[in-house]
Amino acid sequence: MCGIIGYSGHRPAVPLVLEGLEHLEYRGYDSAGVGYDLNNELMVVRAKGKLKNLSEKFQGERNALTVTCAIGHTRWATHGAPEERNAHPHLSNSKRLAIVHNGIIENYLEIREELSQKGYHFASDTDSEVLINLIEDMLSQECDLLHALAAALKKAHGAYAICVLDREDPQRLYAARLAAPLIFGQGIGENFIASDIPAFLAYTRDVVFLEDGDILVADSDSYQLWKSSDLTPIQRPVQQIQWSMQAAQKGGYRHFMLKEIFEQPKVISDALSGRFEGSRVLLSELDALPVPKRLHIIACGTSFHAGLWGQHLLEDWARIPVQVEIASEFRYKERLLLNPDQDIVLVISQSGETADTLAALRMANEIGVPTLGLCNVLGSSVAREAGAVLYTQAGPEISVASTKAMTSQMIMLACLALYYGYRSGNLGVDECLQNIDRLQRLPLMLETALPEMHSTARLLARKFSQSKSFFYLGRGHCFSLALEGALKLKELSYIHAEGYAAGEMKHGPIALIDPTFPTFVLAPHDVLYEKIKSNIVEIQSRQGQIIVLTDAESDLHGVDIWRIPSLEGPLGAFLILPCLQLFSYEVADYLGKDVDQPRNLAKSVTVE
Ligand code: M6R
């Protein structure tokens, strides 16, 4: 959570840092701030609320334009309310040092107490202000800031990505990471440090992914990496990022979310590209691993729903028993029933930085079970720590609500099911070919269907946006989509929504049905169609309002029947999911909600 950026170069640093923060705002947006040196004094400008409040503070401010080194922060509050005094950067007591910090220092109260006894005082409730004063305290004992930083980081426990500015050397940035992302961007006569690549992608594509325990010191022309434990110099490879800057911009859409929904046909073809050879699925990343006897899928939020959907295919096509678990539950189980000789743990994470998912991955690694990461972000912690990685290649997902990332995860899960099905001999050549053909037809089908889906979503959103609660019902693979539909509606529009397995309705939830409580039913014309029709009748006979999402084959008629092209079997999900996303998007937009940055949320949940 929180986004940090640092710049040292030849351009006006404050506007550049503000621009970078715009690309990091998805990580947290309850307050923001910028720090820089002006005539040997560290200036800190901070504002509560969205970034525009901070930008307004610089209007007409000419002095700030002269500086060429600055740090910035956009915050998702952990310690201390989202107030200006808790916003970053934080200054040390002597005002020599300023810090921006993403993460949590777990033993900050203890350190704060120790520092207080030495006479330090604190203007905020944050752990970050404690950390910068700890660094300052170490500076009085060590020979220079690099050694002071390393000594302080030895004492501080927890997670951090930090960037520090020193009034005594104001063109140099000091940065470090542990369990929070930090990427160095190497330019010509300018260098960058940020929580995510889009923050500086307009200026350089050459990046170095810092690893846990790294310290980086950079000025405009050079940089050096050190191991924070003993300060030995280290080298890390410079990698070239292939995304275009357009991928991180709205490209004419009202919101990133809408753009990302409409990108899904391309996301599907990108994920499938190079994955097939005749009836074979090519996942060379996994060739060295055996086909598991049991697969454990672990994830959070939308990625968890993708895992639940994938379970159907893996069990059906590959005949592998699959257990799907929420990472925050898995990680605290007293007994993990994992068999290193037979099982594989698959963690799914768009960001690759979700704290619970990462903890689950580490536990599995410790036990010695082969691990596999399915993630979108190159060089992320999941990508680096999993035994093998499958990248979803969805490109940057900026909107906090996940859309195209889920689609790309589902595509890779479908490929995985085909791959294991083929390898284990459970799927014949014809079945493989048939499903590969269906997968390859998806991009065009979806691209053709999206405009009409969008119009229907808009009409239905107008009609239902005043509802206070919603059910989403599905059966089979559609149950996971019902959960996702409900999550999308609540996170974007703040309307209460619950996803249910349709067959569960009569075991309690149906008591809620009345004319004001609508239900969104997923009813593709598949093997469970007749069953879900019975559920629809049960709701109708209790005067419940219903939206039925069904396909061309169905014989359902009524007011709010939303018909989409039919696609047999679970791959129909790739047409159902965008409808759910568009409906939630339109409801939230109609209600005037902040679609890309819903309240209380952040894109990557790097804290527990
Ligand atoms: O980056 P991850 O896939 O690990 O994130 C997991 C969840 O935090 C995420 O899917 C969240 O539920 C979405 N914002 C929902 O739209």
Side-chain angles (χ1 to χ4, degrees):
M1 327 295 265
C2 304
I4 69 170
I5 178 167
Y7 173 78
S8 176
H10 48 80
R11 301 171 206 264
V14 170
L16 186 144
V17 162
L18 287 171
E19 178 196 324
L21 288 178
E22 263 173 48
H23 294 287
L24 295 176
E25 210 180 6
Y26 73 88
R27 300 180 65 84
Y29 34 82
D30 60 42
S31 55
V34 173
Y36 51 94
D37 173 84
L38 192 66
N39 305 326
N40 209 25
E41 187 184 347
L42 284 188
M43 313 297 293
V44 158
V45 182
R46 305 180 294 187
K48 185 179 166 178
K50 290 291 190 76
L51 196 54
K52 66 175 176 30
N53 300 349
L54 177 66
S55 301
E56 277 164 15
K57 288 197 170 183
F58 282 100
Q59 269 165 23
E61 173 55 67
R62 285 160 156 243
N63 287 341
L65 283 182
T66 60
V67 307
T68 53
C69 182
I71 56 176
H73 188 270
T74 174
R75 180 167 189 250
W76 187 85
T78 54
H79 295 82
E83 300 293 341
E84 188 173 323
R85 70 191 181 85
N86 288 325
H88 299 215
H90 290 285
L91 289 171
S92 63
N93 274 198
S94 74
K95 299 194 169 32
R96 172 174 167 179
L97 305 174
I99 192 171
V100 286
H101 168 216
N102 167 33
I104 290 182
I105 304 302
E106 283 160 6
N107 55 342
Y108 83 107
L109 283 175
E110 198 182 293
I111 301 172
R112 186 179 163 126
E113 181 56 34
E114 251 178 64
L115 291 172
S116 301
Q117 280 170 17
K118 290 184 178 180
Y120 283 86
H121 58 267
F122 300 91
S124 76
D125 306 322
T126 66
D127 50 344
S128 317
E129 193 189 11
V130 172
L131 181 59
I132 195 62
N133 281 302
L134 177 64
I135 299 169
E136 175 151 294
D137 193 51
M138 293 296 177
L139 196 49
S140 60
Q141 302 162 36
E142 300 285 343
C143 55
D144 59 19
L145 183 52
L146 176 64
H147 286 80
L149 187 58
L153 295 178
K154 262 190 205 135
K155 219 171 154 179
H157 305 150
Y160 51 79
I162 56 170
C163 190
V164 173
L165 206 55
D166 179 7
R167 187 188 60 202
E168 302 302 313
D169 190 5
Q171 291 302 117
R172 205 179 298 278
L173 301 166
Y174 290 79
R177 76 154 270 174
L178 186 75
L182 198 58
I183 299 137
F184 172 69
Q186 185 182 27
I188 299 170
E190 57 185 347
N191 285 319
F192 306 79
I193 186 89
S195 303
D196 198 1
I197 296 162
F200 54 67
L201 191 60
Y203 303 97
T204 183
R205 282 160 189 283
D206 295 333
V207 306
V208 176
F209 292 99
L210 269 68
E211 305 230 342
D212 282 351
D214 285 1
I215 291 184
L216 175 127
V217 182
D219 59 16
S220 56
D221 296 310
S222 63
Y223 73 97
Q224 175 65 55
L225 283 156
W226 318 81
K227 233 161 88 181
S228 81
S229 53
D230 56 6
L231 286 182
T232 43
I234 43 174
Q235 306 277 336
R236 301 249 176 255
V238 178
Q239 302 188 33
Q240 267 245 321
I241 295 303
Q242 300 305 332
W243 310 337
S244 69
M245 194 55 204
Q246 270 167 320
Q249 286 168 346
K250 282 190 201 151
Y253 286 89
R254 258 169 72 69
H255 297 99
F256 279 111
M257 181 178 177
L258 193 58
K259 174 182 172 243
E260 287 159 7
I261 292 172
F262 272 83
E263 274 173 359
Q264 291 178 109
K266 179 167 185 312
V267 162
I268 297 175
S269 40
D270 287 351
L272 293 178
S273 155
R275 290 297 185 184
F276 305 125
E277 193 178 77
S279 59
R280 277 185 61 219
V281 175
L282 308 176
L283 294 180
S284 56
E285 300 90 328
L286 307 189
D287 288 349
L289 291 172
V291 177
K293 293 269 181 306
R294 200 160 59 131
L295 191 68
H296 300 261
I297 299 183
I298 299 159
C300 300
T302 293
S303 298
F304 169 71
H305 298 154
L308 280 176
W309 181 84
Q311 178 180 28
H312 279 266
L313 274 78
L314 285 152
E315 293 189 345
D316 191 22
W317 292 355
R319 301 274 189 277
I320 297 175
V322 179
Q323 202 160 337
V324 191
E325 291 186 73
I326 292 173
S328 54
E329 291 297 316
F330 176 89
R331 68 179 290 192
Y332 291 114
K333 279 189 161 174
E334 286 200 1
R335 251 180 214 86
L336 284 180
L337 301 177
L338 298 176
N339 181 341
D341 299 324
Q342 303 199 327
D343 298 356
I344 285 187
V345 165
L346 164 63
V347 297
I348 307 178
S349 175
Q350 185 285 132
S351 61
E353 299 294 346
T354 300
D356 288 320
T357 309
L358 205 49
L361 171 65
R362 287 176 180 155
M363 284 166 72
N365 279 339
E366 237 164 65
I367 293 171
V369 190
T371 55
L372 175 59
L374 180 56
C375 74
N376 192 34
V377 178
L378 191 77
S380 60
S381 300
V382 164
R384 284 183 292 105
E385 294 184 33
V389 191
L390 288 174
Y391 280 111
T392 50
Q393 301 184 72
E397 189 180 64
I398 309 290
S399 176
V400 166
S402 185
T403 54
K404 64 174 181 172
M406 180 172 181
T407 292
S408 66
Q409 291 164 348
M410 288 161 53
I411 284 288
M412 292 314 292
L413 287 164
C415 289
L416 189 65
L418 285 176
Y419 170 84
Y420 280 146
Y422 189 88
R423 260 184 76 180
S424 61
N426 282 312
L427 272 187
V429 168
D430 286 350
E431 273 174 297
C432 283
L433 283 173
Q434 197 181 43
N435 284 310
I436 289 173
D437 177 56
R438 284 184 185 146
L439 280 166
Q440 286 177 320
R441 282 192 288 124
L442 280 173
L444 184 59
M445 272 187 99
L446 180 56
E447 183 151 20
T448 315
L450 270 169
E452 196 181 321
M453 285 176 177
H454 191 194
S455 314
T456 313
R458 202 176 280 141
L459 289 176
L460 288 169
R462 302 281 184 280
K463 180 165 175 186
F464 287 94
S465 60
Q466 299 312 318
S467 309
K468 295 278 171 279
S469 274
F470 249 93
F471 273 137
Y472 281 72
L473 301 186
R475 283 176 176 263
H477 76 100
C478 283
F479 168 46
S480 56
L481 303 179
L483 293 176
E484 176 60 11
L487 172 62
K488 283 281 101 66
L489 189 69
K490 60 190 152 202
E491 75 177 319
L492 291 167
S493 64
Y494 321 144
I495 293 173
H496 167 250
E498 279 188 77
Y500 261 99
E504 276 292 291
M505 275 297 274
K506 54 173 95 59
H507 297 287
I510 202 164
L512 289 168
I513 295 294
D514 70 17
T516 67
F517 197 125
T519 303
F520 197 128
V521 186
L522 309 182
H525 195 264
D526 60 15
V527 285
L528 295 170
Y529 177 65
E530 292 302 329
K531 303 284 170 202
I532 200 110
K533 264 171 79 177
S534 311
N535 298 126
I536 293 172
V537 173
E538 285 157 13
I539 297 165
Q540 281 169 335
S541 56
R542 284 156 185 89
Q543 283 79 51
Q545 286 178 289
I546 301 195
I547 299 173
V548 182
L549 183 62
T550 187
D551 55 40
E553 309 279 308
S554 103
D555 56 359
L556 284 162
H557 298 285
V559 193
D560 295 312
I561 303 285
W562 183 349
R563 228 176 271 282
I564 55 175
S566 31
L567 190 61
E568 215 185 298
L571 298 187
F574 291 97
L575 298 174
I576 295 171
L577 181 63
C579 296
L580 299 173
Q581 297 164 344
L582 284 164
F583 177 71
S584 300
Y585 168 82
E586 285 298 332
V587 172
D589 192 34
Y590 187 68
L591 294 175
K593 305 296 183 210
D594 190 341
V595 173
D596 282 334
Q597 294 171 344
R599 70 183 181 201
N600 304 340
L601 298 184
K603 183 71 181 165
S604 60
V605 185
T606 55
V607 292
E608 264 198 88

